[in-house]
Amino acid sequence: MDLGIRGRRALVCAASRGLGLGCARALAEAGVDLVMNARGAAALEAAAQAIRDDFGVQVTAVAADITTPEGRAAVTAAADQVDILVTNAGGPPPGMWSDWSRDDFIRALDANMLTPIALMQWALPGMIDRRWGRVVNITSQSVKSPIPALGLSNSARAGLTGFVAGTSRQVAPQGVTINNLLPGIHATDRAIQLDRGVAQAEGITLAEAAARRAATIPVRRYGTAEEFGATCAFLCSVHAGFIVGQNISLDGGAFVGTI
Ligand code: NAP
């Protein structure tokens, strides 16, 4: 299927590996020029060069922490006008409800709620002027089905979800769509990090921890960054203009609900 977005320009945040990279590669395959971001310059430049080599699109790599005002200023200065925005950042650490301080919550809110909101506030006016735009926020399955140890993530992402629910309806008349993609367990460094925590806590091997988690997913495996990226690219396509304000689970059926 031709996604109809060849020659468009996208900013994909937190994209040197994992789900962000999956989105960047799928958009590049559809002919979209990219601005990519992550903190680590070497891995980011390697990912950017691989995309240039594989898909022949223009890629600008900006090494910066997207959760800081300085980082966002560097990224948005390089990105200038974009037609497509994919927001993403690392997830907060797991822990216990009783341990988190106000500062812990502020950090989580900054990273996983206020950063995507600031990026939307930056990108939306141009999209509205040009009467076309696509925003995809990478959130989490924890929005629909909270993960107890990830209370910081549950809290911050719930706030972002509320913002998108209203704002997506305000910008839809101007041809701009905003949707959230909710990853379940995917085979990325983040998932391995969480498996390692379980393995240590329960005195089992990493492979056993991963096998236990995979067994909880109806498809009996972790998702891939390629599958995730393909869904993101579709949401950014010309075919997805009627999909507005949705929270789309990519979780292999893990969330059990009729709707
Ligand atoms: P990942 O494999 O750890 O990759 C994270 C990417 O984000 C890397 O490129 C990393 O590069 C970049 N990054 C992290 N913090 C950043 C920051 N402050 N500024 C700029 N770039 C940053 O993670 P992932 O699995 O793709 O997860 C992406 C998001 O989905 C996270 O918020 C995660 O919580 C959420 N999620 C993931 C899963 C899963 O199973 N994988 C499930 C539910 C939710 P640098 O470290 O070099 O900055």
Side-chain angles (χ1 to χ4, degrees):
M1 180 190 288
D2 180 356
L3 297 184
I5 49 178
R6 184 166 298 282
R8 295 275 185 191
R9 192 171 155 75
L11 167 58
V12 186
C13 303
S16 63
R17 57 177 197 273
L19 304 181
L21 178 58
C23 295
R25 290 188 61 85
L27 288 168
E29 190 172 9
V32 174
D33 294 324
L34 299 176
V35 176
M36 292 170 64
N37 152 259
R39 291 164 303 178
L44 177 65
E45 188 44 51
Q49 191 55 48
I51 289 177
R52 290 182 198 108
D53 294 344
D54 291 348
F55 305 113
V57 296
Q58 290 180 17
V59 184
T60 303
V62 185
D65 184 339
I66 198 68
T67 67
T68 66
E70 305 75 33
R72 281 193 297 281
V75 169
T76 54
D80 195 14
Q81 294 187 340
V82 293
D83 309 299
I84 295 167
L85 168 66
V86 180
T87 76
N88 186 28
M96 269 299 278
W97 61 271
S98 47
D99 295 337
W100 294 314
S101 66
R102 184 173 193 281
D103 284 349
D104 293 325
F105 277 101
I106 296 296
R107 262 193 299 278
L109 292 172
D110 260 339
N112 298 112
M113 176 186 170
L114 299 176
T115 289
I117 289 175
L119 289 165
M120 282 185 265
Q121 287 174 324
W122 163 77
L124 288 173
M127 293 177 179
I128 289 167
D129 282 350
R130 296 187 295 280
R131 302 195 75 77
W132 197 93
R134 297 283 185 263
V135 179
V136 174
N137 299 296
I138 300 179
T139 68
S140 173
Q141 65 179 353
S142 68
V143 170
K144 284 194 175 176
S145 183
I147 300 165
L150 293 178
L152 292 172
S153 170
N154 299 337
S155 306
R157 297 189 199 278
L160 174 63
T161 306
F163 176 84
V164 167
T167 306
S168 59
R169 272 81 187 182
Q170 290 177 315
V171 301
Q174 282 86 36
V176 180
T177 71
I178 312 177
N179 292 286
N180 300 323
L181 272 183
L182 282 52
I185 302 168
H186 282 72
T188 68
D189 289 358
R190 166 80 172 170
I192 293 167
Q193 183 192 328
L194 293 175
D195 285 343
R196 196 166 283 130
V198 171
Q200 274 165 5
E202 301 196 11
I204 56 177
T205 66
L206 188 60
E208 283 168 335
R212 273 193 203 174
R213 277 219 293 171
T216 67
I217 306 170
V219 299
R220 300 285 187 266
R221 65 172 176 85
Y222 288 8
T224 69
E226 290 74 16
E227 290 169 313
F228 192 89
T231 308
C232 176
F234 178 76
L235 281 178
C236 296
S237 76
V238 293
H239 310 296
F242 212 54
I243 304 176
V244 170
Q246 298 303 300
N247 289 281
I248 297 167
S249 296
L250 284 176
D251 67 356
F255 175 74
V256 179
T258 310
I259 297 177

